[in-house]
Amino acid sequence: MSILIDEKTRVMVQGLGRDGSFHARQMKDYGTSVVAGVHPGRGGSVFEGIPVFDTADEAVGKTGAQCSVLFVPAPFASDAILESANAGVGLVVAVTEGIPVLDMSRVAQELDELDTRLVGPNCPGLISPGKSKVGIMPGNIFSRGPIGVISRSGTLTYEVVNQLSLAGYGQSTAIGMGGDPIVGMKYNDYLVHFERDAETELVVIVGEIGGTDEQDAAAFIGQHVTKPVVGYIVGRSAPPGKRMGHAGAIISGADSTAEAKVNVLREHGIPVADTVEQIVDLVAAGLGG
Amino acid sequence: MSILIDEKTRVMVQGLGRDGSFHARQMKDYGTSVVAGVHPGRGGSVFEGIPVFDTADEAVGKTGAQCSVLFVPAPFASDAILESANAGVGLVVAVTEGIPVLDMSRVAQELDELDTRLVGPNCPGLISPGKSKVGIMPGNIFSRGPIGVISRSGTLTYEVVNQLSLAGYGQSTAIGMGGDPIVGMKYNDYLVHFERDAETELVVIVGEIGGTDEQDAAAFIGQHVTKPVVGYIVGRSAPPGKRMGHAGAIISGADSTAEAKVNVLREHGIPVADTVEQIVDLVAAGLGG
Amino acid sequence: MKLEEFQAKKLFREHGIPAPDGVMVTSAADGKTAALALGCPVVVKAQVKTGGRGKAGGVKLARTPDEAFSAADSILGMDIKGFRVERLLIDPAVPIAAEYYVGITIDRKRKIPVMMVSASGGMDIEKVAAETPEKIHFQPVHPERGLRFFEAKKLAFRLFSDSREVMAAASIMVKLWKCFNDLDATLAEINPLARLEDGSITALDAKIVLDDNALYRHPGMEELRLPTPSEKKELGAKSHGLSYVQLEGEIGCMVNGAGLAMATMDVIKHLGGTPANFLDIGGSSNPEKVVHAMELLVSDSNVKAIFINVFGGITRCDDVANGLVQALSGIDLEVPMVVRLTGTNEEEGIRILAGHGITALKDMTRGAAEAIRLAREGSVGR
Amino acid sequence: MKLEEFQAKKLFREHGIPAPDGVMVTSAADGKTAALALGCPVVVKAQVKTGGRGKAGGVKLARTPDEAFSAADSILGMDIKGFRVERLLIDPAVPIAAEYYVGITIDRKRKIPVMMVSASGGMDIEKVAAETPEKIHFQPVHPERGLRFFEAKKLAFRLFSDSREVMAAASIMVKLWKCFNDLDATLAEINPLARLEDGSITALDAKIVLDDNALYRHPGMEELRLPTPSEKKELGAKSHGLSYVQLEGEIGCMVNGAGLAMATMDVIKHLGGTPANFLDIGGSSNPEKVVHAMELLVSDSNVKAIFINVFGGITRCDDVANGLVQALSGIDLEVPMVVRLTGTNEEEGIRILAGHGITALKDMTRGAAEAIRLAREGSVGR
């Protein structure tokens, strides 16, 4: 098992520019079932054995794509998310960085009315090791196993996963939920799935400064998650009012500091690592207990 | 029985200007349970024994109003409809004439998401004779009985009802659904209620040129209405492209002519009167059969 | 409020929709000057608020300024479906490769705007809809969200295959929605939207109908009103709170309420008469309104008899009768008149009218029949 | 992008929000001239992108032009929370009866904008939120529908009782939403919104933060950028694809990825060191970026050691190593440097670096500890 995607998930790639083409190939090589590309004006052509369509509607209609991964430039990305969602795609993964926050707010409202879940934007995507990879994660550092990973960051996810893999702790599914102020699914949405997933035995949540998602997760875990959870929060050394790379990583109030988040997690009985290396220790302890 | 309103319906009046004040009094005199007025800036005062509130929220919260009748000028009317709907009012009756059609389109979309039904705008309202009157209809010409009336017009409704009453055919509920291109509930929405209402034995639908609501009703009646229905369509002598008083009464295609509507109704087995007097004869025949 | 082509094209251009930047003229001489300024060939187009002007000879190609002069000269003053041509649009002529239709209007059933496109451009879209409905593609437009680019793109791929043309057309569609929404229009139409030989996409004709109820939000638009003579009469009536539409019949009608006014016209027609007009005086018994309404009726030389049909509702019939008496006292009527009065306090109302020598009936059909009879007799009914 | 008060007030006025129409000046002499032109009394206000300037002495009332001169003279050049005052706003002083708070920002949890109002105006709203949260009233704003008048009215009735004041305040709230939405802001705030003694409502302060990601839609806004020296450095970094924030510590960090960069800073702090900066060079192994990043680090005189922390993902470690070597070959480094390289092909990468005399570790925590040790020793690490 795994959550959201597996080897049967039919994936389409929206936007076959430089990045889209590169990662379409990477995903295919990883084993992802890439069934379609969408690129206006290139309908009817074939890219690396993948049929390309002008619109998401056609791609879904002709290939039964269930999941779309987006490499569309920021000014057009929110339109592309809505195109896929309105075409009936159940899961959209938006890799694109730099989408205006009000665009995402409009997207979020509309997705509420549709049967579509969104991962990202500004995210590395998600991967169910050995089954399917949807996004830009480096497949080789992941390994199959019982750990669920949910992270707001990209390379930090790789760092964490790499250490887990090296220590022998494979992953059921690892998700980069995105570093923007407004993202689609959040910790709690993923936790619901991990809680139900038979393969997952423990979940690592990697958080950062900004917002209060980690607090929401802490409360949610206390009430609804029976599996052990390990936390890690970065940005303890970040000054207030400054954007730390991620648009969402800015300390805008007492609640959004790393300290506040660490404290709330611990108050809910969730062990929190001080360094990446410590995560492995806490995972070992969590699985042992 | 009756539909939508009865003596227990708690009604509030939005907009206590000249018309709103006059008709608030008229409704109260008729026996309508008028529990609140809403007029920004007059909160805390009392009009004719009716407590007045600044906002619909307060009025609903403090009086349990379930129905609101609107006498708010056109430029502010769509906002007032949404105010009531968002305050939890289940039935809004918009008497106001001249609301821009795009405003009504936005209102219609939002009401779809809320649990609020709309009568009108640009309508005389509705009445369940002897029980409750919500709108501007002259109560004295109505009488209690087994006929449901749904009309797109105001005075024409009175004309029809007056003849029915004089001939001894009282009404369960009579509704002026409004003469605008976009109105809230339409024939079919009311027919569902009349079909279920034990007091109603026959429904008269009074239509006019413009749109295809009467055709939709004909198809709906054929499938879902077991009670006899009598039709009457005005505008047979109206030229194409000209607005006959009502913004909705304009022949804009072959389907929206009176002839087309009469024909479709008759094709579905619904007798159609040529004159107001004939309606009474058809009602008599319908109840007899 | 219907705009003329030259006005609609200007609004299109202001919204970024490509459309030929021609010149509106009202004389043949100005037409020639415009042709010289624009460079020939030009198209000389009658500006009338009706379709089918092409078939009626209201659109002509001119290869030289002199041809523009004679085309303008022949079109000005022409009568097209009852509309006299007073204005021309001189547009630069462009080499057309194909013609399409793009329009937005309100879908009354779904209660939202809908965009319609078709590869059958340049034709009457209602004819296309009636004969080959499969050739029209629809896209509902959520009034808050507007037409999204992906929706426009889907439509554009139905009409074009070249991706630059698709993008250009989709962009025009989004702009047309914005134009429709910004102006509170009830119709915004490009027919034809043309693909030119160079692959560019442009609006060769333009139609905008504004929502009269929303004009208060667009005060500048009122200045664009160029009423025809019959519209002038209707607007004059409106300024007195009357809703009036002139027809060609003999029985002048004055009614309170639009639905009842239509029913009155219908019953006249049903009885073999011809209504001279639609006239709704609204719900009040205000004598001044009745005077203005009467003036409208007597100013129509076709009117052979007048039928006043009033239903007293909230306003009582006795009040209405008093209002009518007061209004009619100042009018010297030369055609017969029938008054029908019913509803609240009808007996009292009829008595008041009778006291002033006005015949009043209670029955609408009988009243209409009486008016028709009097019109035929040419006799005076009071 | 944070705007200054005088810029935000101008945008407010353009959106119909009443706000004093003052003058921005950069010298005491101009301040006096402005006071003369506006008429005294005036308020002399430091233009700095931080709160609490009032307490810091950055706002002064001047009853005469000469007082305006001396107030301006004393405020210009002042340091307020690390921001040097270079600009002043001279506003006409108005008689205030009461102060309120009105602001819009994004509610991350509900994923929509939210309007917040409070009768506790003129105070730090975060303090109000922390201490007396019941004094703040919230209204979520649907991003497509916008703030409706009835919603604004409900909020306004929480603050005002006089109906004219309610209507004026509600109208300002609707306009503030439009301003927020039109400009793609992430914050638009009036604090205080003042009721003046004559009952009128006006914005006495103005704060707008624009969404950097949406600036491409508002090309004119870029001209409003008035960067502080540290912002200039960050902007310069951004133009090279680098995300940089200067801090006060000793260990210069260069990391690929924002999350990893924060983790790097944290581990330095955790081990008792102090990070000199946040620096994310993104995912690429582009040598040019590394050169620019290195220049940023060495230009910071606080930096005592450099810690390069790279995780090779899709980009392989050997490619990254080659990029680093190429970049570093042109740099004459005077502080010690530690490179940590891990991920795809890490062994090969470390070998390549070693071949060029660069110490490379696989472990992040050990790398950070080494950098801290070297910084303390002041020795050279290569």
Side-chain angles (χ1 to χ4, degrees):
Chain A
M1 295 277 290
S2 53
I3 73 165
L4 296 167
I5 57 167
D6 61 23
E7 62 278 13
K8 291 190 293 281
T9 308
R10 300 171 72 78
V11 176
M12 72 186 198
V13 180
Q14 269 181 289
L16 289 172
R18 201 177 57 98
D19 290 351
S21 303
F22 175 78
H23 287 288
R25 208 182 287 116
Q26 292 268 329
M27 285 185 271
K28 205 161 173 273
D29 290 349
Y30 189 78
T32 305
S33 167
V34 182
V35 298
V38 177
H39 200 104
R42 282 170 57 182
S45 70
V46 173
F47 171 79
E48 301 266 329
I50 307 161
V52 181
F53 301 91
D54 285 321
T55 65
D57 252 10
E58 278 183 275
V60 171
K62 301 222 169 113
T63 70
Q66 306 154 306
C67 171
S68 179
V69 54
L70 229 96
F71 296 93
V72 172
F76 315 106
S78 65
D79 190 67
I81 296 172
L82 292 176
E83 179 176 4
S84 273
N86 280 284
V89 167
L91 183 70
V92 176
V93 180
V95 172
T96 309
E97 184 182 342
I99 304 179
V101 67
L102 278 171
D103 286 8
M104 281 315 301
S105 177
R106 287 182 275 262
V107 166
Q109 298 313 302
E110 187 162 344
L111 292 190
D112 269 356
E113 298 172 22
L114 298 166
D115 209 16
T116 302
R117 285 174 293 208
L118 173 67
V119 179
N122 188 15
C123 81
L126 72 170
I127 183 169
S128 294
K131 299 172 184 167
S132 184
K133 163 182 123 159
V134 179
I136 60 171
M137 286 166 164
N140 58 312
I141 59 167
F142 293 83
S143 57
R144 197 161 165 170
I147 312 296
V149 178
I150 319 169
S151 169
R152 274 168 67 184
S153 151
T155 38
L156 183 56
T157 313
Y158 312 159
E159 180 80 44
V160 169
V161 161
N162 192 45
Q163 305 236 9
L164 287 171
S165 289
L166 291 175
Y169 299 109
Q171 304 86 41
S172 53
T173 301
I175 300 135
M177 64 183 238
D180 278 358
I182 294 185
V183 295
M185 299 175 80
K186 301 210 201 187
Y187 295 113
N188 300 1
D189 304 302
Y190 297 110
L191 282 165
V192 169
H193 290 274
F194 278 128
E195 176 69 10
R196 284 204 215 109
D197 177 47
E199 186 174 346
T200 305
E201 293 170 26
L202 180 149
V203 182
V204 175
I205 65 175
V206 180
E208 61 187 37
I209 50 169
T212 55
D213 291 344
E214 291 80 2
Q215 282 91 327
D216 297 340
F220 184 83
I221 291 163
Q223 292 208 299
H224 303 290
V225 180
T226 60
K227 297 179 181 179
V229 176
V230 167
Y232 176 53
I233 307 284
V234 297
R236 300 186 192 202
S237 48
K242 283 289 186 182
R243 170 173 162 162
M244 297 285 113
H246 289 165
I250 181 165
I251 301 177
S252 50
D255 286 354
S256 70
T257 63
E259 281 70 22
K261 295 178 184 221
V262 169
N263 290 342
V264 172
L265 284 167
R266 287 187 175 147
E267 280 163 22
H268 282 82
I270 301 154
V272 181
D274 285 325
T275 64
V276 176
E277 289 82 1
Q278 268 190 25
I279 296 174
V280 175
D281 303 336
L282 294 178
V283 165
L287 288 177
Chain B
M1 295 274 292
S2 53
I3 72 166
L4 297 167
I5 57 167
D6 61 24
E7 62 280 11
K8 292 189 292 281
T9 308
R10 298 171 73 78
V11 177
M12 72 189 198
V13 180
Q14 266 181 292
L16 289 173
R18 201 176 58 97
D19 290 352
S21 302
F22 176 77
H23 287 289
R25 209 180 288 120
Q26 292 268 327
M27 285 186 271
K28 203 158 174 276
D29 290 348
Y30 189 77
T32 305
S33 169
V34 181
V35 298
V38 178
H39 199 104
R42 283 171 57 183
S45 68
V46 172
F47 172 79
E48 301 266 330
I50 307 161
V52 180
F53 301 91
D54 285 322
T55 65
D57 252 11
E58 279 183 276
V60 171
K62 302 223 170 113
T63 70
Q66 306 155 308
C67 171
S68 178
V69 54
L70 229 96
F71 295 93
V72 172
F76 315 105
S78 65
D79 190 66
I81 296 172
L82 293 176
E83 179 177 3
S84 272
N86 281 284
V89 168
L91 182 70
V92 176
V93 179
V95 171
T96 310
E97 185 181 341
I99 305 178
V101 66
L102 278 172
D103 287 7
M104 280 315 301
S105 177
R106 287 183 273 263
V107 166
Q109 298 312 301
E110 188 163 343
L111 291 191
D112 270 357
E113 296 172 23
L114 298 167
D115 209 16
T116 303
R117 286 174 293 208
L118 173 68
V119 180
N122 189 12
C123 82
L126 72 169
I127 184 169
S128 296
K131 298 171 183 168
S132 185
K133 163 182 124 159
V134 180
I136 60 171
M137 286 167 164
N140 59 312
I141 59 166
F142 293 84
S143 57
R144 196 161 166 172
I147 311 297
V149 178
I150 318 169
S151 168
R152 275 169 67 186
S153 150
T155 37
L156 183 56
T157 313
Y158 311 158
E159 179 81 43
V160 170
V161 161
N162 193 45
Q163 305 238 4
L164 287 172
S165 289
L166 291 175
Y169 297 110
Q171 303 88 43
S172 53
T173 302
I175 300 135
M177 63 185 239
D180 277 358
I182 294 184
V183 294
M185 299 176 81
K186 302 211 202 187
Y187 296 114
N188 300 0
D189 303 302
Y190 296 110
L191 283 165
V192 170
H193 289 275
F194 278 128
E195 176 69 8
R196 284 203 216 109
D197 176 46
E199 185 175 346
T200 305
E201 293 172 25
L202 181 148
V203 181
V204 175
I205 65 175
V206 179
E208 61 187 36
I209 50 171
T212 56
D213 291 344
E214 291 79 3
Q215 284 90 328
D216 297 342
F220 184 83
I221 291 164
Q223 293 206 299
H224 303 290
V225 180
T226 60
K227 297 181 181 178
V229 176
V230 167
Y232 176 54
I233 307 284
V234 297
R236 299 187 192 201
S237 47
K242 283 290 185 182
R243 169 174 162 164
M244 297 284 114
H246 289 164
I250 181 165
I251 300 176
S252 51
D255 285 354
S256 70
T257 64
E259 282 69 23
K261 295 177 182 219
V262 169
N263 290 341
V264 172
L265 284 168
R266 287 188 175 146
E267 280 163 21
H268 282 81
I270 300 155
V272 181
D274 285 325
T275 63
V276 176
E277 288 83 2
Q278 268 189 25
I279 296 174
V280 176
D281 302 337
L282 295 177
V283 165
L287 288 177
Chain C
M1 173 176 160
K2 248 185 217 174
L3 299 185
E4 290 191 2
E5 180 191 6
F6 77 97
Q7 298 171 321
K9 273 189 177 157
K10 182 158 179 287
L11 292 168
F12 278 2
R13 287 193 302 269
E14 285 170 10
H15 279 85
I17 299 170
D21 195 359
V23 181
M24 192 276 280
V25 299
T26 55
S27 73
D30 285 353
K32 181 176 172 176
T33 311
L36 273 165
L38 293 166
C40 279
V42 294
V43 194
V44 180
K45 307 174 88 176
Q47 299 296 285
V48 278
K49 293 176 199 168
T50 182
R53 67 181 167 177
K55 275 186 198 150
V59 178
K60 284 186 174 149
L61 183 71
R63 274 155 303 183
T64 66
D66 284 333
E67 276 186 32
F69 181 92
S70 46
D73 197 45
S74 71
I75 298 174
L76 279 168
M78 202 180 252
D79 180 286
I80 300 180
K81 296 189 185 173
F83 294 86
R84 193 186 133 84
V85 181
E86 292 177 351
R87 283 171 295 277
L88 301 170
L89 175 60
I90 314 294
D91 256 358
V94 289
I96 300 167
E99 297 188 333
Y100 307 87
Y101 172 92
V102 175
I104 311 186
T105 186
I106 300 285
D107 180 341
R108 293 167 63 133
K109 201 166 182 171
R110 302 180 73 152
K111 306 180 187 178
I112 57 173
V114 61
M115 175 158 270
M116 298 166 293
V117 308
S118 173
S120 302
M123 293 169 60
D124 177 359
I125 194 67
E126 298 209 342
K127 213 177 148 195
V128 177
E131 292 170 8
T132 50
E134 73 282 1
K135 287 194 177 159
I136 306 184
H137 309 287
F138 297 91
Q139 172 65 51
V141 183
H142 191 292
E144 308 273 13
R145 292 175 187 149
L147 182 74
R148 275 82 64 87
F149 196 73
F150 77 86
E151 294 166 331
K153 221 165 46 184
K154 259 197 293 189
L155 290 175
F157 269 114
R158 303 285 204 142
L159 308 185
F160 302 90
S161 50
D162 179 89
S163 72
R164 267 173 318 163
E165 291 169 12
V166 166
M167 293 303 170
S171 153
I172 287 172
M173 289 174 200
V174 170
K175 287 167 182 163
L176 188 66
W177 155 256
K178 284 191 180 134
C179 181
F180 175 92
N181 189 49
D182 288 355
L183 299 174
D184 275 308
T186 57
L187 177 73
E189 194 178 82
I190 308 176
N191 189 18
L193 178 74
R195 177 161 58 83
L196 304 187
E197 285 173 2
D198 64 3
S200 64
I201 315 283
T202 195
L204 289 194
D205 198 355
K207 197 167 165 187
I208 294 177
V209 181
L210 300 176
D211 183 354
D212 289 315
N213 287 341
L215 281 178
Y216 74 90
R217 290 200 279 237
H218 310 279
M221 289 295 135
E222 198 57 57
E223 288 163 27
L224 298 184
R225 204 185 279 279
L226 295 168
T228 60
S230 78
E231 285 173 338
K232 263 182 205 151
K233 203 166 174 184
E234 291 164 18
L235 284 169
K238 202 179 161 194
S239 71
H240 292 108
L242 306 170
S243 181
Y244 176 79
V245 178
Q246 182 156 1
L247 305 171
E248 315 260 89
E250 294 183 340
I251 313 293
C253 311
M254 183 196 305
V255 190
N256 67 329
L260 190 57
M262 279 190 271
T264 306
M265 290 158 62
D266 285 0
V267 78
I268 290 169
K269 200 181 162 202
H270 181 70
L271 296 174
T274 51
N277 60 275
F278 168 94
L279 174 52
D280 171 15
I281 59 168
S284 108
S285 59
N286 176 350
E288 216 177 307
K289 261 194 184 176
V290 179
V291 172
H292 285 296
M294 199 55 84
E295 279 167 4
L296 276 170
L297 297 185
V298 298
S299 75
D300 179 355
S301 58
N302 286 336
V303 168
K304 299 281 182 295
I306 288 171
F307 180 31
I308 299 183
N309 185 10
V310 169
F311 188 95
I314 293 285
T315 312
R316 294 176 344 224
C317 283
D318 47 345
D319 281 352
V320 174
N322 282 323
L324 270 177
V325 166
Q326 195 186 330
L328 293 171
S329 66
I331 295 172
D332 191 18
L333 212 56
E334 293 182 357
V335 292
M337 178 180 80
V338 176
V339 178
R340 181 264 184 156
L341 190 60
T342 197
T344 318
N345 290 14
E346 61 186 28
E347 302 298 346
E348 177 65 10
I350 290 172
R351 201 173 312 131
I352 290 166
L353 290 179
H356 290 78
I358 303 170
T359 311
L361 308 170
K362 286 163 64 171
D363 186 278
M364 174 166 147
T365 306
R366 270 212 288 141
E370 178 68 4
I372 295 168
R373 192 184 63 76
L374 292 173
R376 285 193 186 139
E377 284 182 4
S379 71
V380 175
R382 55 178 280 190
Chain D
M1 173 176 159
K2 247 186 217 172
L3 300 184
E4 289 190 1
E5 179 191 7
F6 77 95
Q7 298 171 321
K9 272 190 179 158
K10 182 158 179 285
L11 292 169
F12 278 2
R13 287 193 302 269
E14 286 170 11
H15 279 83
I17 299 169
D21 194 359
V23 181
M24 192 274 282
V25 300
T26 54
S27 73
D30 287 352
K32 180 176 173 177
T33 310
L36 272 165
L38 292 167
C40 280
V42 295
V43 193
V44 181
K45 307 175 87 178
Q47 300 295 285
V48 279
K49 294 177 199 167
T50 182
R53 65 181 168 177
K55 276 185 198 150
V59 178
K60 283 186 175 148
L61 182 71
R63 273 155 302 184
T64 66
D66 283 333
E67 276 187 32
F69 181 92
S70 46
D73 196 46
S74 70
I75 300 174
L76 279 169
M78 202 180 254
D79 181 287
I80 300 180
K81 296 190 186 173
F83 293 87
R84 194 185 132 87
V85 181
E86 292 177 353
R87 284 170 294 278
L88 300 171
L89 175 60
I90 313 295
D91 257 358
V94 287
I96 301 168
E99 297 189 334
Y100 307 87
Y101 173 91
V102 175
I104 310 184
T105 187
I106 301 284
D107 179 341
R108 293 166 63 133
K109 201 166 183 171
R110 302 180 74 150
K111 305 179 187 180
I112 57 173
V114 61
M115 176 159 269
M116 298 166 294
V117 308
S118 173
S120 302
M123 293 169 62
D124 178 359
I125 194 67
E126 298 209 342
K127 212 178 151 196
V128 178
E131 293 170 8
T132 49
E134 72 283 1
K135 288 194 178 161
I136 305 183
H137 309 286
F138 296 90
Q139 173 64 53
V141 183
H142 190 291
E144 307 273 12
R145 293 177 186 148
L147 182 73
R148 275 82 64 84
F149 196 72
F150 76 86
E151 294 166 331
K153 221 165 44 182
K154 257 195 295 189
L155 291 176
F157 270 114
R158 302 285 204 144
L159 308 185
F160 301 90
S161 52
D162 178 89
S163 73
R164 266 172 320 163
E165 290 169 14
V166 166
M167 294 304 170
S171 154
I172 287 172
M173 290 175 198
V174 170
K175 286 166 182 164
L176 187 67
W177 155 257
K178 283 191 180 134
C179 180
F180 177 91
N181 190 50
D182 287 355
L183 299 175
D184 274 309
T186 56
L187 177 73
E189 193 178 83
I190 307 176
N191 188 18
L193 177 74
R195 177 160 59 83
L196 304 187
E197 284 173 2
D198 64 3
S200 64
I201 315 284
T202 195
L204 290 193
D205 197 354
K207 197 167 164 188
I208 295 178
V209 181
L210 300 176
D211 183 353
D212 288 316
N213 287 340
L215 281 179
Y216 73 92
R217 290 200 280 238
H218 311 278
M221 290 296 133
E222 199 56 57
E223 289 164 26
L224 298 185
R225 204 186 279 278
L226 295 168
T228 60
S230 78
E231 284 173 341
K232 262 183 206 148
K233 203 166 175 184
E234 291 164 18
L235 284 169
K238 201 179 162 194
S239 71
H240 292 108
L242 306 170
S243 180
Y244 176 78
V245 177
Q246 183 156 1
L247 305 172
E248 316 261 88
E250 294 184 341
I251 313 292
C253 311
M254 183 195 306
V255 190
N256 66 328
L260 189 57
M262 279 189 272
T264 306
M265 290 157 62
D266 285 359
V267 78
I268 290 169
K269 200 180 162 203
H270 181 72
L271 297 173
T274 52
N277 60 275
F278 168 94
L279 174 52
D280 171 16
I281 60 168
S284 109
S285 59
N286 176 352
E288 217 178 306
K289 262 194 184 176
V290 179
V291 171
H292 286 295
M294 199 56 85
E295 281 168 2
L296 274 170
L297 297 185
V298 298
S299 75
D300 179 356
S301 57
N302 286 337
V303 168
K304 299 283 181 294
I306 288 172
F307 179 30
I308 300 183
N309 185 10
V310 170
F311 189 95
I314 293 286
T315 313
R316 296 179 339 228
C317 284
D318 48 344
D319 281 353
V320 175
N322 283 323
L324 271 177
V325 166
Q326 196 187 328
L328 294 171
S329 68
I331 295 174
D332 192 17
L333 212 55
E334 293 181 358
V335 292
M337 177 180 79
V338 176
V339 179
R340 182 265 185 155
L341 191 59
T342 196
T344 319
N345 290 14
E346 61 186 28
E347 302 296 347
E348 176 66 9
I350 291 171
R351 202 174 311 128
I352 290 166
L353 289 179
H356 289 79
I358 302 171
T359 312
L361 308 169
K362 286 164 63 172
D363 185 279
M364 175 165 147
T365 306
R366 270 212 289 141
E370 178 69 3
I372 295 167
R373 193 187 59 79
L374 292 173
R376 286 187 186 144
E377 285 181 3
S379 70
V380 176
R382 52 179 283 189

